Amino acid sequence: MRPHELPEVRHLALFRDMAQSNFDTLMQSAYAQTFPASLDLIRQGDPADFLHVVLEGTVELYAQWGGRECTMAVVRPVGTFILAACIRDAPYLMSARTLDRARIILVPASDLRAVFRRDPEFAVSVIHELAGCYRAVVRHAKGLKLRTSRERIASYLLRQSVLAGGVASYTLPVEKRLLASYLGMTPENLSRALKSLEEDGVKVDGSRVIITDRARLTELARPDRLIDGPDPDGAHAGASLPSAQG
Amino acid sequence: MRPHELPEVRHLALFRDMAQSNFDTLMQSAYAQTFPASLDLIRQGDPADFLHVVLEGTVELYAQWGGRECTMAVVRPVGTFILAACIRDAPYLMSARTLDRARIILVPASDLRAVFRRDPEFAVSVIHELAGCYRAVVRHAKGLKLRTSRERIASYLLRQSVLAGGVASYTLPVEKRLLASYLGMTPENLSRALKSLEEDGVKVDGSRVIITDRARLTELARPDRLIDGPDPDGAHAGASLPSAQG
DNA sequence: TTTACGGTTTGATATTTGTCAATTGATCAG
DNA sequence: CTGATCAATTGACAAATATCAAACCGTAAA
């Protein structure tokens, strides 16, 4: 692991409050590795051996069933994934692959479980992290069940704008087919819906998003803190796609 | 609280391992109450004041947005709900209402937070519980995104049969409109789909389910441990509807 | 520059799903 | 027993969404 990387990990909400000695223990058995783009990191169903921490690059969490697959979340630096499987010592529910070249730290799950049993501060951090992950997935499920495709797209586009500081224009952080899958629709459907949304205050040209009528878009998206976040206290940052992992 | 109730709570995975003194502290500030059917217990967006423990009866967790609503989970005895909101001291993401007359214990969230900070065993239990809740919602989301309506229904009917011990016949534990909402479709859609499923090995007459051709139904449902559960270690029971709450 | 590749868009079409309205059926209070 | 109520079903229809195929386009390798 590189010298500047340790402080970055230590700065994460998950590792911030634990005793230094325990942090050192965790990191001694951990190792960092750089992976090329489009590489499979995890196959759903495999036993959970390592907590993953993304230092650079982007990782997609996706699920498969019966020959189909769908994107569940995207993890960006500095974020962790598959915490829950590690804790339960259970098989991964999701697969993971790199989208870009990515640098990732692998923390052995067994050490993780040992440390939160003897470091109360770390246990509390894990609790907060898990509660946050749980709430993120509940939000995602709410969006899928309560909103139509157009509404999900509108909400997503508006939320990205807000996360970027309320700007009227920005670029999409992911490919459209991935976005479509994340939002629970086909690429074709997304493409057509985006075109139709020009009448509702947002224009998308390539990966460039331009909000032409914020009021109109907001009216359609009806943003809701209980779906779109963030949690009021804001214990962890909102990634470009709500990083609903663990 | 009644004398026989305390041991039932204590027996829950969440409270089983904590120090007796801390359990006593929690229960001293808690109080039990009996509610009539169809009563709203929690409105989404309200601050999380109490962890709820269902002792008797049934509670529905549901979400609302823009005049629509959908069922997210059903909690049965003995189970807890909205743990995550309590921990984060954040607003509830879901509403809750009784389906039957229900007896519920209310544990102040502030005490909860105080206790898991000083009782490592309890902290570990909370971690396990949250990880389990997280995984349950991920499963639910996977089902929604990867399966069609018919497949979700088939999976549900098959899973219920398995949970009941592999029986060929059983009665639905909830009303069909609730089931429809839980599975992400309209009651009309569920009704028609159920009829069409007679050709796929299951017959539903009123609330009576009869599996007429298990192999056929299994072929359609393609049950998957990573969606339908349970987690291999089986730390907590599978309720009639996967009780994906916290 | 040119080609090759993969993402994206578009068109035509089929399927699924939702909506609205009416009817049936079961349950329960009076 | 009877009416009221609400869940469940059914039919007709509309809307949303998926599928399949082809064309388009931007990027990167040759």
Side-chain angles (χ1 to χ4, degrees):
Chain A
M1 209 173 304
R2 297 162 188 162
H4 67 282
E5 290 175 342
L6 227 57
E8 288 181 28
V9 179
R10 179 69 159 153
H11 188 259
L12 277 174
L14 186 57
F15 298 111
R16 192 182 299 155
D17 298 326
M18 67 195 306
Q20 183 65 42
S21 63
N22 290 324
F23 180 72
D24 293 342
T25 303
L26 274 188
M27 289 305 128
Q28 270 158 27
S29 53
Y31 59 96
Q33 205 172 336
T34 303
F35 300 95
S38 301
L39 187 86
D40 272 301
L41 299 171
I42 284 174
R43 252 195 358 229
Q44 66 174 36
D46 284 354
D49 295 327
F50 297 97
L51 175 69
H52 290 56
V53 183
V54 182
L55 288 180
E56 298 169 20
T58 321
V59 174
E60 175 192 10
L61 301 185
Y62 65 103
Q64 298 143 292
W65 180 81
R68 298 167 210 162
E69 71 175 53
C70 71
T71 303
M72 299 295 288
V74 170
V75 189
R76 297 172 181 286
V78 183
T80 69
F81 59 97
I82 48 142
L83 176 59
C86 292
I87 282 168
R88 292 221 133 207
D89 197 11
Y92 299 123
L93 292 183
M94 298 182 277
S95 299
R97 67 185 154 218
T98 56
L99 291 176
D100 311 300
R101 214 172 84 99
R103 188 159 172 82
I104 291 168
I105 298 183
L106 301 160
V107 183
S110 52
D111 294 82
L112 198 78
R113 287 192 292 270
V115 169
F116 74 60
R117 282 181 181 280
R118 65 168 186 263
D119 188 327
E121 290 301 321
F122 184 49
V124 170
S125 296
V126 170
I127 286 173
H128 271 266
E129 184 82 4
L130 279 174
C133 289
Y134 170 78
R135 288 170 65 87
V137 204
V138 169
R139 286 193 169 94
H140 189 56
K142 283 177 67 172
L144 288 171
K145 292 178 94 165
L146 290 168
R147 284 173 170 155
T148 66
S149 290
R150 295 186 87 236
E151 289 163 347
R152 291 200 295 279
I153 299 168
S155 305
Y156 174 83
L157 294 176
L158 191 57
R159 175 163 27 124
Q160 289 307 113
S161 160
V162 170
L163 289 175
V167 297
S169 177
Y170 62 92
T171 62
L172 288 175
V174 292
E175 287 181 351
K176 283 181 186 167
R177 70 192 176 90
L178 189 149
L179 180 57
S181 179
Y182 174 73
L183 294 176
M185 65 193 78
T186 59
E188 294 96 325
N189 191 356
L190 173 64
S191 181
R192 281 185 249 266
L194 282 177
K195 176 165 290 185
S196 87
L197 283 177
E198 289 186 18
E199 317 228 307
D200 288 280
V202 64
K203 192 167 162 9
V204 179
D205 180 52
S207 66
R208 179 113 233 117
V209 180
I210 303 168
I211 295 176
T212 54
D213 186 341
R214 196 172 200 87
R216 192 105 164 70
L217 184 61
T218 304
E219 190 183 7
L220 173 63
R222 278 188 281 189
D224 181 337
R225 286 187 93 82
L226 303 181
I227 298 181
D228 306 295
D231 259 359
D233 65 284
H236 59 160
S240 63
L241 288 176
S243 49
Q245 76 293 76
Chain B
M1 209 172 306
R2 294 161 192 164
H4 68 281
E5 290 174 344
L6 225 58
E8 287 182 29
V9 179
R10 179 67 160 157
H11 188 260
L12 277 173
L14 186 57
F15 298 111
R16 192 183 300 155
D17 298 326
M18 67 194 307
Q20 183 64 42
S21 62
N22 290 324
F23 181 72
D24 293 342
T25 303
L26 274 189
M27 288 306 129
Q28 269 157 30
S29 54
Y31 59 96
Q33 206 172 334
T34 303
F35 300 96
S38 301
L39 187 85
D40 272 302
L41 298 171
I42 284 174
R43 253 198 352 234
Q44 66 173 36
D46 284 354
D49 294 328
F50 297 97
L51 174 70
H52 290 56
V53 183
V54 182
L55 289 182
E56 299 168 20
T58 322
V59 174
E60 175 192 10
L61 301 184
Y62 65 103
Q64 300 143 291
W65 180 82
R68 299 167 211 162
E69 71 175 54
C70 70
T71 302
M72 300 294 288
V74 170
V75 189
R76 297 174 182 284
V78 183
T80 68
F81 58 97
I82 49 146
L83 176 60
C86 291
I87 282 167
R88 292 220 134 207
D89 198 10
Y92 299 124
L93 292 183
M94 298 181 278
S95 299
R97 65 183 154 219
T98 55
L99 291 175
D100 310 300
R101 215 172 85 101
R103 185 157 174 83
I104 291 167
I105 298 182
L106 302 159
V107 183
S110 53
D111 294 81
L112 197 78
R113 287 192 293 270
V115 169
F116 74 61
R117 281 180 181 279
R118 66 167 185 263
D119 187 328
E121 290 302 319
F122 184 49
V124 170
S125 297
V126 170
I127 286 173
H128 271 265
E129 183 83 6
L130 279 174
C133 289
Y134 170 78
R135 288 169 65 87
V137 203
V138 168
R139 288 193 167 94
H140 188 57
K142 283 177 68 171
L144 289 171
K145 292 179 94 165
L146 290 169
R147 284 174 168 155
T148 65
S149 290
R150 293 186 89 237
E151 289 163 346
R152 292 200 296 279
I153 298 168
S155 307
Y156 174 83
L157 294 177
L158 190 58
R159 175 162 28 121
Q160 289 307 115
S161 159
V162 172
L163 289 175
V167 297
S169 177
Y170 61 92
T171 62
L172 288 174
V174 292
E175 287 182 352
K176 284 182 184 166
R177 71 195 173 86
L178 188 149
L179 180 58
S181 178
Y182 175 73
L183 294 175
M185 64 193 76
T186 58
E188 294 94 328
N189 192 355
L190 174 65
S191 182
R192 281 185 251 266
L194 282 179
K195 178 163 290 186
S196 87
L197 282 177
E198 289 186 19
E199 317 229 306
D200 287 279
V202 64
K203 191 165 162 15
V204 180
D205 180 54
S207 66
R208 178 116 232 114
V209 180
I210 304 168
I211 295 176
T212 54
D213 186 342
R214 196 172 200 87
R216 192 105 164 71
L217 183 62
T218 304
E219 189 183 8
L220 173 64
R222 278 189 280 191
D224 181 338
R225 286 188 93 83
L226 303 180
I227 297 182
D228 306 295
D231 259 359
D233 65 285
H236 59 158
S240 63
L241 288 176
S243 50
Q245 75 295 73

